[in-house]
Amino acid sequence: EAIVTSEELGQDLEHVEVLQKKFEEFQTDLAAHEERVNEVNQFAGKLIQEQHPEEELIKSKQDEVNASWQRLKGLALQRQGKLFGAAEVQRFNRDVDETISWIKEKGQLMASDDFGRDLASVQALLRKHEGLERDLAALEDKVKALCAEADRLQQSHPINASQIQVKREELIANWEQIRTLAAERHGRLNDSYRLQRFLADFRDLTSWVTEMKALINADELANDVAGAEALLDRHQEHKGEIDAHEDSFKSADESGQALLSAGHYASDEVKEKLTILSDERSALLELWELRRQQYEQCMDLQLFYRDTEQVDNWMSKQEAFLLNEDLGDSLDSVEALLKKHEDFEKSLSAQEEKIT
């Protein structure tokens, strides 16, 4: 009877399970003694049937044994129920403690101030965070189930209702806190990603501008018309490539302006990079225009040299014609010479237009 009337219900789940195991051993022993009680009843019945002179005492003792036996069985049933209830409550406490422990462990990860140093590291952190958010989504069902279990246990174990409510509130508080942390970290990582994406585009564009400036400055001025034409063609190809990058410059500028409009924490750096990007683009266009003018001047000069050489060559040939002292020795020959001289004068007029 001392076992079944014990008020000890355990301090935690492991303790309750130890008490349940001991109680199961007691129940086995109790079941073994039931046969002994039956034997006592059978013997008492036999004595009463034989009209034993102590019949009244026998009946009294029999009733006393049966009453004690039933009382013991009733107490055992109550003890079993109490241990079962205690196990339910302690199991709930353990599940809540384990869940809170997991939440706090993940909370430490989400409290990290590492938001990436470049685009690759930010992307890796975002993937890791998305994995944590998937874990949280799976955990939400467990939190809801534990809250529902708390409601049920408060109804079935009113004596433990206040303690169960404390656990429930502790769980909800930790759950809300980690959800807030997750949302804040996701926002910060997105901010970091947008910044690093902009900075990566900035580096790519400024690097490309440097390379393009080097290409534009690389060519020497031509020494003939064909070379000058090739330079102008190649220079125009460079302009085509510059024009092809206009969308990239526009996209980078829009990304930077969006960061500024959102009040990004790195707004000062973004503003500086936008100014540099704009200046670099303008400097590239100015350089291209300067070289275009130089190449066109070079073309004009080479055309002048070519035309001058052609005129010189023509005049050298015509000088021999003019120095010829043959004036003709007949009417036909004189007319032929006049015809040649008229052709020369026409050619001279044509050359004069070219020279002037």
Side-chain angles (χ1 to χ4, degrees):
E1 191 168 323
I3 295 175
V4 295
T5 56
S6 172
E7 294 298 324
E8 185 179 19
L9 295 175
Q11 301 301 315
D12 52 38
L13 183 59
E14 289 72 18
H15 191 188
V16 175
E17 288 174 344
V18 169
L19 293 175
Q20 282 181 316
K21 184 171 179 59
K22 288 181 178 180
F23 187 73
E24 287 171 3
E25 293 172 355
F26 163 76
Q27 285 181 310
T28 301
D29 188 46
L30 189 66
H33 281 78
E34 188 165 14
E35 184 62 30
R36 176 63 177 154
V37 172
N38 291 335
E39 289 176 358
V40 169
N41 279 319
Q42 288 175 2
F43 188 57
K46 180 181 176 184
L47 291 175
I48 292 170
Q49 189 176 6
E50 293 174 352
Q51 297 181 342
H52 193 280
E54 299 292 336
E55 180 178 343
E56 290 302 321
L57 180 60
I58 292 170
K59 283 182 179 182
S60 175
K61 287 293 184 182
Q62 183 183 19
D63 292 341
E64 185 180 337
V65 169
N66 285 329
S68 296
W69 177 249
Q70 291 303 320
R71 181 173 180 276
L72 185 61
K73 288 177 68 175
L75 289 171
L77 193 61
Q78 290 178 18
R79 176 67 175 167
Q80 184 180 32
K82 288 180 180 180
L83 287 173
F84 178 78
E88 281 191 317
V89 172
Q90 293 299 342
R91 189 172 291 108
F92 167 77
N93 289 338
R94 182 200 62 185
D95 291 346
V96 169
D97 288 341
E98 288 179 351
T99 302
I100 290 175
S101 177
W102 185 93
I103 288 174
K104 287 182 176 179
E105 178 185 339
K106 301 304 178 185
Q108 290 178 349
L109 296 175
M110 293 186 184
S112 169
D113 58 358
D114 180 11
F115 300 106
R117 299 169 305 283
D118 51 39
L119 190 59
S121 61
V122 174
Q123 288 173 325
L125 288 172
L126 268 172
R127 286 193 296 271
K128 184 177 180 181
H129 187 74
E130 286 165 0
L132 289 174
E133 288 183 324
R134 285 192 294 272
D135 291 342
L136 284 183
L139 184 68
E140 186 172 11
D141 291 338
K142 185 173 183 181
V143 171
K144 288 179 178 178
L146 285 171
C147 287
E149 178 69 358
D151 293 339
R152 185 187 71 81
L153 290 174
Q154 284 178 296
Q155 293 293 325
S156 60
H157 303 289
I159 193 171
N160 300 111
S162 60
Q163 180 267 322
I164 293 169
Q165 182 61 20
V166 169
K167 277 291 181 188
R168 185 179 188 276
E169 290 174 356
E170 183 182 2
L171 173 63
I172 292 174
N174 278 273
W175 171 245
E176 293 298 335
Q177 182 182 24
I178 198 169
R179 287 180 63 187
T180 301
L181 278 174
E184 289 176 352
R185 181 161 178 78
H186 201 158
R188 290 295 299 274
L189 285 172
N190 277 334
D191 287 345
S192 180
Y193 172 79
R194 291 165 62 204
L195 173 64
Q196 295 302 333
R197 176 76 271 172
F198 167 75
L199 293 177
D201 291 341
F202 167 81
R203 287 190 293 270
D204 289 344
L205 285 171
T206 51
S207 176
W208 173 82
V209 168
T210 301
E211 292 174 2
M212 187 55 61
K213 284 180 178 178
L215 277 176
I216 292 173
N217 279 320
D219 291 322
E220 297 283 345
L221 295 178
N223 295 317
D224 53 42
V225 173
E229 288 177 342
L231 278 178
L232 281 170
D233 289 342
R234 190 154 55 247
H235 195 59
Q236 196 58 43
E237 289 175 3
H238 294 332
K239 185 60 166 63
E241 187 172 351
I242 291 172
D243 291 343
H245 277 74
E246 277 302 301
D247 286 345
S248 297
F249 278 101
K250 182 180 178 182
S251 176
D253 184 72
E254 288 175 351
S255 297
Q257 295 298 339
L259 290 172
L260 295 179
S261 298
H264 195 279
Y265 62 85
S267 290
D268 289 343
E269 181 182 6
V270 172
K271 192 179 297 183
E272 177 189 356
K273 294 293 191 286
L274 283 173
T275 301
I276 293 172
L277 200 59
S278 177
D279 291 346
E280 286 290 306
R281 176 180 172 276
S282 297
L284 177 62
L285 291 173
E286 289 172 5
L287 175 62
W288 185 89
E289 179 60 24
L290 175 64
R291 293 297 279 177
R292 182 192 67 78
Q293 293 175 7
Q294 290 175 344
Y295 291 152
E296 286 187 351
Q297 289 172 355
C298 177
M299 181 67 173
D300 291 341
L301 181 63
Q302 294 305 322
L303 286 171
F304 171 74
Y305 286 157
R306 184 194 66 182
D307 292 345
T308 301
E309 185 178 358
Q310 289 175 351
V311 170
D312 283 343
N313 290 337
W314 179 84
M315 286 192 296
S316 295
K317 290 179 182 178
Q318 297 307 316
E319 189 175 351
F321 170 73
L322 292 174
L323 292 175
N324 188 352
E325 294 184 358
D326 182 11
L327 300 177
D329 54 5
S330 64
L331 181 61
D332 290 341
S333 62
V334 171
E335 288 178 346
L337 288 172
L338 283 170
K339 180 70 172 62
K340 285 183 180 180
H341 194 77
E342 287 172 359
D343 292 342
F344 163 75
E345 287 180 334
K346 290 179 181 177
S347 177
L348 182 62
S349 297
Q351 291 296 327
E352 186 175 6
E353 291 179 4
K354 183 182 294 187
I355 292 171
T356 57

